Amino acid sequence: MIRALVLILLLASLGWWLEREHQAGRFQRVDELFLDFLVANARDRFGKVEPQVSSPVVWVKMRNASKAEYAGWPPRPLDWQMVLKGLQPFDPAVLVIPETLMWGKPAPEFVREAAEALVPFPSTILGVEAQLAASREAPAFMGGLEDSLPRFQKTQGDIAVVPPLGALIAAPDDLLRRQAELGITSTRDAEGITLLPYALQESGNLRPTVLTQALARITKTPYATHRLLLGPGAGAYLANGAFVPLTTTGEFAVDAKQTVPEVDALNLMSDGLADALTAQDKANLGGGKIIVIGTDSGGLVQAHAQALVQILAMPRLKLLPSYAQWLVWSAAVLAGFWLVFRVPKEKALLRGLLFIFAALVLCFLAFQSSLIWCPPTMPAALIAASALFARIAGHRKG
């Protein structure tokens, strides 16, 4: 009876302390390492894009073949104003414009009107054209935008493998910057595969790119919790179980065959005189989606749209619900009681290790089949504490 009371007090105190420490983030790294191990062994699951009834990403395409229909080419501020006004009724969750909206100095007409057309959108990301550095030693030219671009706060691995930023070549017009978040855009080809950097290295910092910022917005992931893993098994962990598989250098490989729903930008420029949008166009644009806008020149806009479709169609990591975690902890407590009262004290430590190993194997198999996982810190600690107590106060063989 006394042993049972002592064990209950021991496990209850340990559980309370571990939960408090876990809430404070002190054991978070242990759980992250375990999750990294699980993901690394299920990497092939993220290469399979699941079919979707409705794509969460739409490309509003400004076609090069229709450039005579625009006020100028590349499209001028008046064109952008009309397209943005046409999009306002559809209330997109995130508006992504990878191409840099800069028309030189002095600024042409309608820049202010284009900036005002951005105001109704809750989340807009504007691209800042960047050039990669030929050497890692040279400092990047930021053009005074150091404080306007976000930084990664949680990274693991060697940041030296990340492509270095050489210079910011062009930034959106000043009036447009006030209405949106700025993001770096860059792309490169490697053996016929288009790579979009998830981050770029700049003076010891890792700067997110437009792709990263769009995903952070749509998944509601603050940069304080947006975790980037570099090197072997590289990837990015976002909120709600979203995971982005990356190359060892922190880049995303775009599938050139990925299809993206398209809407002709000219159909949004009727200015109320006629409704040029088809029923399919309206269905594509509605529902709080990511709208990617830009020309079909150079492939930059298309690559971003394809990458977003791929990533958002990937399976999500599923954390065991709280009530199920409590059941796992209860099972660990029952295992602890069995170690104390049914296992000879000479074998308690070995049996405890076997229990922990079996629990980890079960978690591994569950993740392989359904991508569901449970943080191991609490159950492993409860079993380990019970095994130590059983070694000291357990019953003798026979």
Side-chain angles (χ1 to χ4, degrees):
M1 185 65 179
I2 295 177
R3 282 189 302 169
L5 288 175
V6 173
L7 182 59
I8 290 173
L9 288 173
L10 172 65
L11 295 182
S13 300
L14 178 62
W16 173 81
W17 180 77
L18 283 173
E19 179 63 16
R20 189 184 67 174
E21 294 296 299
H22 189 273
Q23 292 294 331
R26 295 187 178 90
F27 287 101
Q28 188 175 7
R29 184 62 185 137
V30 177
D31 295 336
E32 289 175 351
L33 287 171
F34 181 64
L35 179 58
D36 292 345
F37 168 77
L38 294 176
V39 171
N41 286 276
R43 190 86 176 181
D44 59 320
R45 295 287 301 275
F46 300 97
K48 303 171 184 176
V49 177
E50 298 179 350
Q52 295 179 300
V53 177
S54 177
S55 172
V57 182
V58 180
W59 179 10
V60 174
K61 183 187 287 188
M62 297 171 164
R63 304 177 187 275
N64 186 65
S66 304
K67 63 183 180 181
E69 305 293 329
Y70 290 89
W73 195 262
R76 309 298 288 171
L78 176 61
D79 300 317
W80 281 97
Q81 179 203 8
M82 296 180 68
V83 171
L84 293 171
K85 287 179 66 177
L87 278 174
Q88 288 173 7
F90 297 98
D91 193 25
V94 183
L95 199 66
V96 182
I97 305 177
E99 294 171 318
T100 304
L101 301 186
M102 167 57 72
W103 297 278
K105 300 291 184 181
E109 293 182 311
F110 297 104
V111 173
R112 184 176 298 277
E113 288 77 4
E116 291 172 353
L118 286 173
V119 174
F121 298 103
S123 182
T124 304
I125 303 167
L126 300 180
V128 178
E129 185 180 356
Q131 183 179 44
L132 299 182
S135 170
R136 296 183 180 273
E137 287 72 26
F141 173 73
M142 301 297 291
L145 296 179
E146 296 88 344
D147 297 330
S148 301
L149 298 171
R151 297 180 177 88
F152 270 108
Q153 299 181 32
K154 292 188 67 176
T155 60
Q156 278 104 39
D158 184 10
I159 68 171
V161 301
V162 177
L165 175 63
L168 299 180
I169 301 173
D173 191 278
D174 292 341
L175 292 173
L176 297 171
R177 296 182 206 175
R178 303 170 191 173
Q179 313 299 336
E181 180 179 351
L182 298 183
I184 301 171
T185 57
S186 176
T187 181
R188 71 183 186 93
D189 290 329
E191 299 179 354
I193 299 175
T194 299
L195 297 176
L196 286 180
Y198 201 81
L200 289 175
Q201 182 192 162
E202 180 267 318
S203 301
N205 299 309
L206 289 183
R207 302 280 186 173
T209 60
V210 164
L211 173 65
T212 311
Q213 291 166 256
L215 291 170
R217 290 297 185 96
I218 198 65
T219 60
K220 297 180 172 58
T221 306
Y223 289 114
T225 60
H226 196 146
R227 184 165 70 94
L228 178 62
L229 178 65
L230 301 170
Y237 294 89
L238 298 96
N240 302 314
F243 176 76
V244 185
L246 302 172
T247 67
T248 56
T249 56
E251 296 169 290
F252 182 76
V254 181
D255 181 3
K257 298 180 180 179
Q258 179 66 56
T259 59
V260 183
E262 299 176 5
V263 173
D264 193 332
L266 288 175
N267 294 342
L268 290 161
M269 299 171 64
S270 59
D271 200 23
L273 299 177
D275 189 356
L277 292 172
T278 65
Q280 184 60 53
D281 287 341
K282 294 177 181 179
N284 286 337
L285 292 171
K289 298 180 179 179
I290 297 181
I291 306 295
V292 183
I293 313 177
T295 69
D296 55 1
S297 305
L300 178 68
V301 180
Q302 181 179 9
H304 279 82
Q306 289 175 321
L308 288 168
V309 171
Q310 280 180 254
I311 293 167
L312 294 176
M314 289 178 180
R316 297 290 182 97
L317 309 179
K318 296 182 279 289
L319 178 65
L320 208 62
S322 297
Y323 73 89
Q325 292 190 44
W326 275 96
L327 292 177
V328 172
W329 300 348
S330 300
V333 171
L334 291 177
F337 271 84
W338 187 82
L339 288 171
V340 172
F341 293 100
R342 303 296 297 174
V343 176
K345 62 190 304 183
E346 294 81 7
K347 299 181 179 180
L349 291 179
L350 178 59
R351 296 286 175 85
L353 290 175
L354 289 175
F355 267 133
I356 293 173
F357 178 75
L360 294 177
V361 169
L362 285 175
C363 192
F364 178 83
L365 295 176
F367 192 86
Q368 287 288 320
S369 63
S370 304
L371 294 181
I372 192 166
W373 74 290
C374 175
T377 308
M378 180 73 78
L382 293 173
I383 294 174
S386 300
L388 288 172
F389 182 76
R391 182 67 181 86
I392 297 171
H395 76 281
R396 294 182 179 276
K397 186 176 181 179

